[in-house]
């Protein structure tokens, strides 16, 4: 289906087969520049899809807030662990 | 398509994975190509669809082929039950606070959402109208400039006629000048010729008079005194004869 053989590293995550995941991870750009550019790309994709539109909805920021709540719960888990009702699950 | 609630933590460890929700069925481009679109495309009208406010639609589409419509809801229920039973999510006083805040937020969004959206749209409309005004003004100005330009081009065509008229003027001036000069030339030449003629006349007259004078003088000088007496006596006798003849005629 591909018109020319593409090196594994350049494929998107969803197109990488499970066996190629290791090589794909190994080949990605982990330099600070690479990380920052990856963060920027992700931000641009999210921003242009949910926020930078003519009639935005609640979904754009609601997803961010839900994500923030989830992350803060995960970071606080070691502290919240002590409020558990049962010792053995 | 990655549900944020579950996969976000795992994804965050892979620093290079995209944080946004991706498209499943959209055309994929490689990481290496980065095009810059030259005429900027207009903003999309609507954002990506999100169900219940925080789950992107792509998650539902992902599970639809395998599990149908209720799949994601069953997944959500199962997830919640798992989190609660294993006490990965602990119920404490914060849960109550969270539920209350969530209820208030949902009520506020449902109640005031449309009016806030209308207000924001109106602000946007005003901005767009202002810019559109500027653009329209610029367009009319440019159209006017085009009209003026066409008029100037039409005038340029007329300019050749102007030059023809001017050329005619100049030709006429030249002609007039030429004729004047010719006139002057003929006049001058005529004057000079007249002068020559007058000169010749004068010469001839002088010669004539001089000759006449000379002839007279020589004749007079040739008349000796003797001849003069004889001629005077003859004249007297002639006169007497004449007097007699006239007297005779008068008597008759």
């Amino acid at each position: 289906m591909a018109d020319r053989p593409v090196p594994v590293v350049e494929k998107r995550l969803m197109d990488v087969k499970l066996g190629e995941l290791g090589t794909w991870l190994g080949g990605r750009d982990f330099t600070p520049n690479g990380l920052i550019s990856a963060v920027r790309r992700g931000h641009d994709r999210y921003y242009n899809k949910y926020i930078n539109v003519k009639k935005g909805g609640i979904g754009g920021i609601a997803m961010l807030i839900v994500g923030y709540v989830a992350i803060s719960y995960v970071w606080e888990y070691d502290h919240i662990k002590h409020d558990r009702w049962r010792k053995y699950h | 398509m990655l549900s944020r609630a579950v996969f976000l933590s795992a994804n965050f460890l892979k620093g290079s994975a995209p944080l946004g929700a991706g498209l499943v069925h959209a055309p994929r481009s490689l990481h290496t190509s980065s095009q810059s679109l030259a005429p900027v495309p207009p903003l999309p009208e609507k954002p990506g669809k999100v169900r219940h406010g925080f789950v992107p639609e792509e998650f539902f589409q992902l599970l639809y082929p395998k599990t149908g419509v209720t799949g994601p809801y069953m997944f959500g229920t199962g997830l919640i039950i798992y989190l609660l039973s294993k006490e990965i999510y602990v119920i404490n006083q914060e849960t109550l606070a969270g539920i209350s805040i969530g209820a208030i937020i949902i009520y506020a969004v449902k109640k005031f959402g449309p009016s806030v959206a209308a207000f924001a749209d109106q602000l946007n409309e005003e901005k767009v109208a202002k810019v559109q005004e500027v653009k329209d003004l610029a367009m009319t100005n440019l159209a006017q400039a085009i009209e003026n330009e066409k008029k100037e081009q039409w005038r340029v065509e007329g300019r050749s006629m102007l030059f023809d008229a001017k050329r005619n003027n100049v030709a006429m001036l030249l002609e007039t000048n030429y004729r004047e000069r010719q006139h002057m030339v003929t006049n001058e030449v005529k004057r000079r010729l007249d002068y020559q003629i007058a000169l010749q006349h004068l010469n001839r007259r002088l010669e004539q008079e001089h000759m006449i004078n000379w002839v007279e003088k020589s004749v007079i000088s040739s008349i000796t005194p003797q001849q003069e007496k004889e001629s005077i006596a003859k004249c007297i006798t002639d006169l007497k004869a004449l007097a007699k003849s006239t007297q005779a005629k008068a008597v008759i």
Side-chain angles (χ1 to χ4, degrees), chain B residues 108-170:
Chain B
V109 164
K110 282 253 184 310
K111 188 113 190 281
F112 302 116
S115 56
V116 168
F119 179 69
D121 282 344
Q122 189 210 7
L123 287 180
N124 240 7
E125 282 293 308
E126 283 171 16
K127 276 192 223 167
V128 166
K130 260 192 244 168
V131 178
Q132 183 74 12
E133 224 180 85
V134 169
K135 178 181 163 196
D136 285 341
L137 200 67
M139 290 277 278
T140 46
N141 277 351
L142 287 174
Q144 187 68 26
I146 289 176
E147 287 295 321
N148 287 350
E149 188 62 34
K150 288 220 174 88
K151 197 128 196 259
E152 289 300 315
Q153 282 177 349
W154 171 80
R155 282 209 187 118
V156 164
E157 282 169 26
R159 205 156 289 175
S160 59
M161 279 197 276
L162 191 75
F163 285 155
D164 278 343
K166 283 198 174 164
R167 223 176 290 136
N168 277 351
N169 271 3
V170 167

Side-chain angles (χ1 to χ4, degrees), chain B residues 179-191:
Chain B
R179 288 210 187 158
E180 264 181 16
R181 291 213 207 127
Q182 257 193 348
H183 207 67
M184 200 173 68
V185 161
T186 35
N187 277 355
E188 288 294 309
V189 166
K190 196 148 104 68
R191 260 185 39 197

Side-chain angles (χ1 to χ4, degrees), chain A residues 4 6 9-15 21 24-25 28-30 35 38-39 41-43 45-46 48-60 62-64 66-68 70-71 73-75 77 80-81 83-87 89, chain B residues 1-2 4-5 8-9 11-23 27-32 42-50 53-58 84-94 105 109 117 121 124:
Chain A
R4 71 180 200 280
V6 179
V9 204
E10 289 175 3
K11 286 200 224 167
R12 290 185 141 202
L13 178 57
M14 287 303 121
D15 292 336
L21 202 58
W24 186 85
L25 261 189
R28 295 301 291 162
D29 191 7
F30 286 112
L35 290 173
V39 171
R41 265 181 289 137
H43 168 271
R45 266 179 65 191
Y46 184 79
N48 286 328
K49 183 153 185 227
Y50 289 104
I51 301 184
N52 197 14
V53 293
K54 276 191 200 160
K55 298 171 76 65
I58 198 72
M63 281 198 278
L64 286 173
V66 167
Y68 167 71
I71 283 183
Y73 184 85
V74 166
W75 284 339
Y77 186 64
I80 295 179
K81 239 181 354 194
D83 290 336
R84 282 194 284 194
W85 292 36
R86 295 280 186 276
K87 198 166 156 194
H89 299 101
Chain B
M1 70 129 247
L2 306 161
R4 316 193 107 252
L8 200 60
S9 50
N11 262 348
F12 208 71
L13 301 175
K14 288 190 203 173
S16 55
L19 292 173
L23 302 167
R28 311 288 288 249
S29 60
L30 299 174
H31 278 293
T32 47
L43 281 180
E45 283 285 334
K46 298 208 154 294
K49 274 188 72 57
V50 170
F54 67 97
V55 182
E57 184 70 25
E58 283 81 13
L84 284 174
S85 80
K86 287 283 182 191
E87 277 204 301
I88 295 176
Y89 179 71
V90 179
I91 295 187
N92 47 11
Q93 79 276 18
E94 306 230 350
I105 287 181
V109 164
D121 282 344
N124 240 7

Side-chain angles (χ1 to χ4, degrees), chain B residues 52-246:
Chain B
H52 303 298
F54 67 97
V55 182
E57 184 70 25
E58 283 81 13
F59 182 62
F60 291 82
Q61 297 303 324
L62 183 73
L63 293 182
Y64 181 77
K66 292 289 192 302
T67 59
V69 178
T70 50
Y73 295 104
M74 297 312 300
F75 172 78
T77 311
L79 190 67
I80 288 173
I81 291 178
Y82 166 71
L83 291 177
L84 284 174
S85 80
K86 287 283 182 191
E87 277 204 301
I88 295 176
Y89 179 71
V90 179
I91 295 187
N92 47 11
Q93 79 276 18
E94 306 230 350
T95 314
L96 190 61
I99 288 174
S100 331
I101 292 178
I104 290 177
I105 287 181
I106 289 175
Y107 173 74
V109 164
K110 282 253 184 310
K111 188 113 190 281
F112 302 116
S115 56
V116 168
F119 179 69
D121 282 344
Q122 189 210 7
L123 287 180
N124 240 7
E125 282 293 308
E126 283 171 16
K127 276 192 223 167
V128 166
K130 260 192 244 168
V131 178
Q132 183 74 12
E133 224 180 85
V134 169
K135 178 181 163 196
D136 285 341
L137 200 67
M139 290 277 278
T140 46
N141 277 351
L142 287 174
Q144 187 68 26
I146 289 176
E147 287 295 321
N148 287 350
E149 188 62 34
K150 288 220 174 88
K151 197 128 196 259
E152 289 300 315
Q153 282 177 349
W154 171 80
R155 282 209 187 118
V156 164
E157 282 169 26
R159 205 156 289 175
S160 59
M161 279 197 276
L162 191 75
F163 285 155
D164 278 343
K166 283 198 174 164
R167 223 176 290 136
N168 277 351
N169 271 3
V170 167
M172 265 200 283
L173 274 178
L174 284 175
E175 183 96 9
T176 318
N177 211 358
Y178 175 68
R179 288 210 187 158
E180 264 181 16
R181 291 213 207 127
Q182 257 193 348
H183 207 67
M184 200 173 68
V185 161
T186 35
N187 277 355
E188 288 294 309
V189 166
K190 196 148 104 68
R191 260 185 39 197
R192 274 158 185 63
L193 290 179
D194 285 345
Y195 169 75
Q196 293 298 326
I197 291 174
L199 201 66
Q200 277 181 358
H201 281 183
L202 181 74
N203 264 349
R204 191 124 55 92
R205 213 181 46 171
L206 278 180
E207 285 170 6
Q208 273 183 345
E209 284 185 5
H210 183 257
M211 244 194 311
I212 290 173
N213 281 349
W214 187 76
V215 164
E216 278 186 1
K217 219 189 321 180
S218 63
V219 163
I220 288 175
S221 63
S222 74
I223 298 180
T224 59
Q226 174 64 22
Q227 269 183 320
E228 207 173 337
K229 263 193 212 161
E230 279 182 17
S231 62
I232 288 178
K234 189 154 186 311
C235 285
I236 291 175
T237 47
D238 277 339
L239 273 173
K240 275 189 188 163
L242 260 175
K244 271 195 199 146
S245 68
T246 50

